[in-house]
Amino acid sequence: AEVELGGRFLIMEYEGTFEGMKFEGMAITGYDNAKKKYQTIWIDNFGTGFYPTEGTCTSDFKECTEEGEWYDPIRKTNFKVKSITKIIDENTYKNEMYVTYANEKTFKSMELIYKRKK
């Protein structure tokens, strides 16, 4: 992770595998002083779109919740997404992603555990 542009933006890069395929992603997160919300843009090698979310964190920054609306190219429709990030310890955090399509129940679409590279 790197902090850029005078400490205004946190840039995190991710790599791993998903169903046997190499997965690479990047998140850029910052705090919008005008909106008083955190905003994140996610990009990865599985798609060509930008995936925005925005939200708030607890006062101790151990849990952040962001929401957004993304486009599903397979279903050809928008859906709502909710991302909850929890700090486990100084080297580990967990992210849970919940998805809601119109007229469908919300479901947990993924849970990831991130470990800092040493």
Side-chain angles (χ1 to χ4, degrees):
E2 296 178 29
V3 180
E4 295 291 338
L5 301 174
R8 288 177 172 82
F9 298 95
L10 174 64
I11 300 172
M12 295 184 287
E13 295 181 12
Y14 304 88
E15 59 184 51
T17 57
F18 179 76
E19 295 186 3
M21 296 179 287
K22 183 176 181 178
F23 177 79
E24 297 174 298
M26 178 184 291
I28 301 172
T29 301
Y31 185 75
D32 185 325
N33 288 320
K35 287 186 167 187
K36 306 287 188 224
K37 291 189 176 192
Y38 289 91
Q39 296 179 323
T40 299
I41 290 287
W42 172 262
I43 54 176
D44 61 48
N45 66 320
F46 281 13
T48 57
F50 290 84
Y51 300 97
T53 55
E54 68 177 23
T56 59
C57 295
T58 58
S59 60
D60 62 3
F61 296 101
K62 292 200 176 200
E63 185 171 318
C64 297
T65 301
E66 293 189 17
E67 298 181 75
E69 187 170 288
W70 296 355
Y71 182 73
D72 182 337
I74 295 170
R75 290 189 182 195
K76 298 187 183 342
T77 187
N78 289 342
F79 64 95
K80 293 182 181 179
V81 64
K82 181 176 185 178
S83 172
I84 301 171
T85 302
K86 296 177 183 179
I87 303 299
I88 308 299
D89 60 42
E90 66 181 28
N91 294 309
T92 312
Y93 72 93
K94 176 173 76 170
N95 179 257
E96 299 170 323
M97 188 77 67
Y98 296 88
V99 168
T100 308
Y101 286 92
N103 303 316
E104 293 184 28
K105 258 184 130 172
T106 299
F107 64 93
K108 185 191 270 189
S109 65
M110 77 173 170
E111 179 176 298
L112 300 170
I113 304 293
Y114 296 94
K115 299 272 187 187
R116 182 190 316 261
K117 281 187 174 181
K118 305 252 175 169

